[in-house]
């Protein structure tokens, strides 16, 4: 191939222990070893990306570093018999963008085991509207359904509903016929949440029980929780008998102060959701569902497309909890 350099967002640790972000030209030879070289067309913005781009050593150990835990593009070179030049592919999870150069560069080189061929009925751009956020939402919905919760069971609560995971979970559940109550701290987002499929909204203050009671009135057939902390504890106490609750985030808090009573008196199930190391067979099944039966009617709604240069502001907004919906990154801009 003729290209030797590519554009990327590089995060650098400064001598005063601060971190800076700049758009630079990098050499292809600086990429890590791997089976598949991919020209990245689109990436997306997730909370974990913002942490990596801000110098969080719990996400990224060594700097300088190119963040971006999502990437969708075209195979340029491959030593794997499973992938060939010209294949349209996507990569989410594993170590991409954490300690391996990620999707905020126009090229990535990764192990073949990380790569997913783009499903039919899904474009590269659409795959990054989903990204890790959408995949995590799908995995959460999948586990809730595996727990036996059907649309007829009653209302499903989605916390953090204006965020990437929450908003896509609302849309998927609506597509599947569920009645969704969206929890948010942004009352002004009600119209947007109704447009993407919520039946109604509930303000997060109403999910911050401080009573000390071991159980609350049963309200939810199932819960897709994206925030953790006391909102999750409150949701557990107010889930109906036999309900299913999924947990995938800790934006509110990583702590969970609860009791065994929702589990032993109401028989509810709490599912942990990890999209990073999801087995490939389930990963492929979920991407197929996202491309077909689960594809929301409103997938393109509440999506903003930015260049690498426009990403800085969005990173700051997501860290402040002020970003709604999905932000995708067009590497060609």
């Amino acid at each position: 191939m003729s290209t030797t350099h590519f554009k990327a967002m590089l995060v650098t640790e400064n001598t005063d222990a601060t971190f800076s972000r700049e758009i630079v030209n990098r050499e292809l030879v600086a990429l890590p070893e791997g089976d598949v070289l991919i020209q990245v067309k689109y990436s997306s913005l997730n909370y974990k990306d913002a942490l990596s781009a801000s110098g969080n050593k719990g996400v990224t150990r060594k700097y300088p570093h190119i963040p971006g835990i999502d990437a969708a593009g075209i195979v340029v070179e491959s030593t794997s018999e499973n992938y060939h030049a010209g294949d349209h592919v996507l990569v989410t999870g594993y170590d991409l963008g954490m300690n391996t150069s990620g999707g905020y560069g126009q090229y990535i080189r990764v192990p073949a085991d990380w790569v997913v061929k783009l499903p039919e009925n899904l474009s590269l751009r659409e795959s990054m509207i989903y990204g890790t956020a959408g995949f995590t939402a799908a995995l959460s919905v999948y586990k809730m359904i595996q727990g036996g919760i059907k649309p007829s069971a009653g209302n499903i609560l989605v916390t953090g509903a204006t965020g990437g995971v929450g908003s896509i979970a609302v849309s998927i559940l609506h597509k599947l016929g569920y009645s969704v109550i969206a929890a948010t701290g942004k009352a002004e987002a009600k119209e947007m949440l109704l447009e993407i499929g919520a039946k109604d909204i509930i303000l997060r203050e109403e999910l911050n029980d401080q009573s000390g009671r071991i159980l609350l009135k049963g309200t939810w057939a199932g819960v897709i929780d994206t925030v953790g902390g006391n909102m999750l504890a409150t949701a557990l106490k107010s889930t109906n008998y036999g309900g299913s609750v999924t947990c995938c985030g800790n934006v509110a808090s990583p702590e969970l102060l609860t009791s065994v009573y929702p589990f032993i008196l109401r028989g509810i199930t709490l599912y942990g959701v990890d999209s990073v190391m999801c087995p490939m067979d389930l990963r492929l099944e979920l991407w197929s569902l996202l491309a077909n039966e689960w594809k929301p009617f409103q997938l393109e709604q509440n999506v903003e497309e930015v260049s690498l240069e426009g990403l800085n502001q969005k990173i700051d907004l997501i860290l402040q909890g002020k970003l709604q919906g999905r932000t995708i990154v067009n590497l060609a801009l």
Side-chain angles (χ1 to χ4, degrees), residues 171-230:
S171 295
I172 293 173
L173 288 166
H174 174 64
K175 176 72 181 290
L176 297 178
Y178 286 87
S179 172
V180 184
I181 307 298
T184 179
K186 305 178 179 73
E188 67 276 11
K190 180 174 182 177
E191 183 176 348
M192 180 274 286
L193 290 168
L194 295 178
E195 288 176 352
I196 65 172
K199 183 176 79 171
D200 203 354
I201 73 164
I202 181 173
L203 295 179
R204 64 184 174 204
E205 291 80 8
E206 300 177 60
L207 289 170
N208 186 29
D209 178 61
Q210 303 288 342
S211 69
R213 295 173 59 188
I214 60 173
L215 290 173
L216 301 173
K217 178 184 177 181
T219 305
W220 317 114
V223 179
I224 305 293
D225 177 68
T226 73
V227 299
N230 196 50

Side-chain angles (χ1 to χ4, degrees), residues 2-316:
S2 59
T3 300
T4 60
H5 292 76
F6 64 96
K7 186 169 71 169
M9 172 182 279
L10 189 69
V11 183
T12 303
E13 185 171 9
N14 304 314
T15 55
D16 60 356
T18 61
F19 293 82
S20 58
R21 301 188 290 264
E22 59 180 335
I23 308 303
V24 301
N25 282 317
R26 297 280 282 175
E27 294 185 348
L28 278 177
V29 294
L31 289 174
E33 294 183 359
D35 308 308
V36 186
L37 178 67
I38 300 167
Q39 183 182 14
V40 180
K41 296 296 186 180
Y42 291 95
S43 184
S44 72
L45 176 60
N46 303 276
Y47 188 70
K48 188 180 287 186
D49 295 315
L51 294 177
S52 175
S54 304
N56 187 304
K57 294 293 184 73
V59 176
T60 300
R61 295 187 298 271
K62 294 182 180 181
Y63 294 85
H65 174 64
I66 301 172
I69 64 173
D70 296 335
I74 301 172
V75 173
V76 177
E77 297 175 353
S78 174
T79 59
S80 168
E81 62 182 15
N82 295 322
Y83 303 99
H84 304 91
D87 286 347
H88 286 216
V89 297
L90 63 94
V91 183
T92 64
Y94 303 101
D95 191 51
L96 184 72
M98 296 177 65
N99 296 289
T100 300
S101 293
Y104 295 169
Q106 291 176 319
Y107 287 85
I108 58 173
R109 187 182 287 118
V110 296
D113 290 345
W114 295 6
V115 181
V116 171
K117 284 188 178 179
L118 190 72
E120 292 185 14
N121 303 321
L122 195 67
S123 70
L124 292 172
R125 184 179 186 277
E126 288 174 330
S127 75
M128 290 295 96
I129 294 176
Y130 286 128
T132 288
F135 183 77
T136 302
L139 186 54
S140 300
V141 171
Y142 180 89
K143 291 203 172 190
M144 189 195 74
I145 292 173
Q146 292 296 105
I149 307 303
K150 298 179 180 180
S152 59
N155 288 333
I156 306 300
L157 173 69
V158 177
T159 66
T162 61
V165 178
S167 61
I168 296 178
V170 170
S171 295
I172 293 173
L173 288 166
H174 174 64
K175 176 72 181 290
L176 297 178
Y178 286 87
S179 172
V180 184
I181 307 298
T184 179
K186 305 178 179 73
E188 67 276 11
K190 180 174 182 177
E191 183 176 348
M192 180 274 286
L193 290 168
L194 295 178
E195 288 176 352
I196 65 172
K199 183 176 79 171
D200 203 354
I201 73 164
I202 181 173
L203 295 179
R204 64 184 174 204
E205 291 80 8
E206 300 177 60
L207 289 170
N208 186 29
D209 178 61
Q210 303 288 342
S211 69
R213 295 173 59 188
I214 60 173
L215 290 173
L216 301 173
K217 178 184 177 181
T219 305
W220 317 114
V223 179
I224 305 293
D225 177 68
T226 73
V227 299
N230 196 50
M231 287 183 71
L232 174 56
T234 301
L236 290 169
K237 290 191 288 186
S238 51
T239 298
N240 293 341
Y241 189 90
S244 294
V245 179
T246 69
C247 170
C248 68
N250 62 355
V251 175
S253 172
E255 295 185 351
L256 179 59
L257 302 177
T258 189
S259 72
V260 299
Y261 292 108
F263 307 101
I264 66 173
L265 296 182
R266 287 188 177 161
I268 72 167
T269 302
L270 176 61
Y271 293 95
V273 175
D274 168 49
S275 63
V276 175
M277 297 304 296
C278 177
M280 184 55 76
D281 56 347
L282 178 55
R283 190 178 292 269
L284 294 174
E285 179 182 354
L286 289 173
W287 277 112
S288 178
L289 288 169
L290 287 170
N292 295 286
E293 300 99 306
W294 288 17
K295 193 173 187 179
F297 301 114
Q298 315 87 346
L299 183 61
E300 290 280 352
Q301 197 163 325
N302 205 32
V303 175
E304 185 171 358
E305 184 173 314
V306 300
S307 65
L308 278 177
E309 289 80 4
L311 191 53
N312 253 326
Q313 180 187 15
K314 302 302 180 183
I315 289 171
D316 294 335

